[in-house]
């Protein structure tokens, strides 16, 4: 197994939103590309639901971070096995 420590630190609210927004947009683009590649109907529906869920999570995060007046601590890693 390989573990990548992508983000680990203290960030301003703006930096936090920039980082997380970039990650979520990359994931959404991946799903959109898979849908465009003529995925089956069931797979396309799953990916559309996943895109909506990611958009909701980003919206919720914006609301949460928007209320914070202090820095945000982010720990994000990816494990590949």
């Amino acid at each position: 197994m390989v573990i990548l420590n992508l983000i680990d630190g203290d960030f301003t609210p703006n930096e936090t939103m920039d980082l997380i927004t970039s990650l979520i947009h990359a994931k959404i683009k991946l799903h959109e590309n898979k849908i465009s590649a003529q995925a089956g109907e069931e797979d396309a529906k799953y990916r559309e639901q996943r895109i909506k869920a990611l958009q909701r999570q980003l919206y919720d995060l914006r609301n949460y971070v928007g209320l914070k007046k202090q820095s945000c601590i982010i720990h994000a890693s990816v494990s590949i096995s």
Side-chain angles (χ1 to χ4, degrees):
M1 177 167 43
V2 175
I3 297 176
L4 304 172
N5 292 315
L6 295 178
I7 305 170
D8 190 17
D10 225 357
F11 301 91
T12 68
N14 284 341
E15 290 170 333
T16 297
M17 288 311 307
D18 287 346
L19 282 168
I20 303 302
T21 298
S22 294
L23 291 171
I24 290 176
H25 283 171
K27 183 65 179 190
I28 288 172
K29 184 171 176 64
L30 177 78
H31 284 298
E32 289 172 341
N33 289 343
K34 293 284 188 172
I35 291 170
S36 296
Q38 300 298 343
E41 185 177 334
E42 189 173 314
D43 185 55
K45 285 182 183 179
Y46 163 77
R47 292 183 185 284
E48 288 168 356
Q49 289 174 347
R50 189 65 186 122
I51 289 169
K52 288 178 185 175
L54 288 164
Q55 290 169 333
R56 278 191 307 275
Q57 290 171 338
L58 183 57
Y59 174 81
D60 291 343
L61 180 67
R62 275 194 186 109
N63 289 334
Y64 175 76
V65 171
L67 297 174
K68 290 183 67 88
K69 302 298 180 206
Q70 59 201 29
S71 63
C72 301
I73 298 171
I74 303 174
H75 304 285
S77 61
V78 174
S79 59
I80 302 170
S81 56

